[in-house]
């Protein structure tokens, strides 16, 4: 990917971060179906690594419905900032892109 393309993608996701629960898509039905499928597929009390976690809506649903914990990672520093306060109380951490410590991925 070119540097210019990477900047455009980052600008897009940084802009979407301000949209809260609709940051990933405006298709609310599809988004709910996807999150419900993920929740049904993950065993209760699992440790989760969510790559591209966005605003952490899926992580929060996993914490609430399946008692999961773990780490979310996102490319957009604005998405990370928006989601960090939301997920810390639920037992998750959200980190920016390549800043993920190796110990969290082991």
């Amino acid at each position: 990917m070119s540097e210019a393309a990477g900047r455009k993608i980052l600008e897009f996701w940084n802009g979407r971060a301000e949209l809260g629960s609709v940051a990933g898509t405006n298709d609310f039905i599809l988004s709910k179906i996807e999150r419900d499928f993920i929740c049904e597929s993950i065993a209760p009390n699992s440790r989760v690594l969510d790559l591209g976690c966005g605003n952490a809506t899926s992580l929060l649903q996993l914490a609430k419905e399946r008692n999961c914990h773990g780490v979310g990672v996102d490319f957009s520093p604005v998405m990370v900032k928006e989601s960090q306060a939301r997920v810390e109380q639920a037992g998750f951490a959200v980190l920016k892109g390549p800043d993920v410590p190796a110990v969290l991925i082991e």
Side-chain angles (χ1 to χ4, degrees):
M1 172 185 338
S2 72
E3 188 175 327
R7 279 194 308 271
K8 284 185 179 185
I9 292 169
L10 183 58
E11 287 172 13
F12 173 81
W13 286 113
N14 282 342
R16 297 289 296 181
E18 299 173 2
L19 299 177
S21 63
V22 297
T25 181
N26 289 334
D27 188 337
F28 303 115
I29 295 171
L30 178 60
S31 180
K32 173 118 175 70
I33 291 169
E34 179 182 304
R35 284 193 320 274
D36 289 347
F37 173 77
I38 291 168
C39 276
E40 291 170 6
S41 301
I42 304 289
N45 304 306
S46 291
R47 185 172 175 192
V48 176
L49 174 61
D50 185 353
L51 300 176
C53 68
N55 60 9
T57 301
S58 296
L59 292 174
L60 291 169
Q61 186 170 346
L62 284 167
K64 180 180 178 182
E65 295 180 16
R66 306 298 271 181
N67 197 37
C68 293
H69 62 280
V71 176
V73 178
D74 202 90
F75 174 70
S76 163
V78 179
M79 283 285 193
V80 170
K81 183 179 178 185
E82 291 289 322
S83 61
Q84 281 176 331
R86 298 175 67 203
V87 301
E88 286 175 0
Q89 295 175 344
F92 283 95
V94 177
L95 305 170
K96 182 194 169 292
D99 301 337
V100 181
V103 70
L104 294 175
I105 322 177
E106 293 177 356

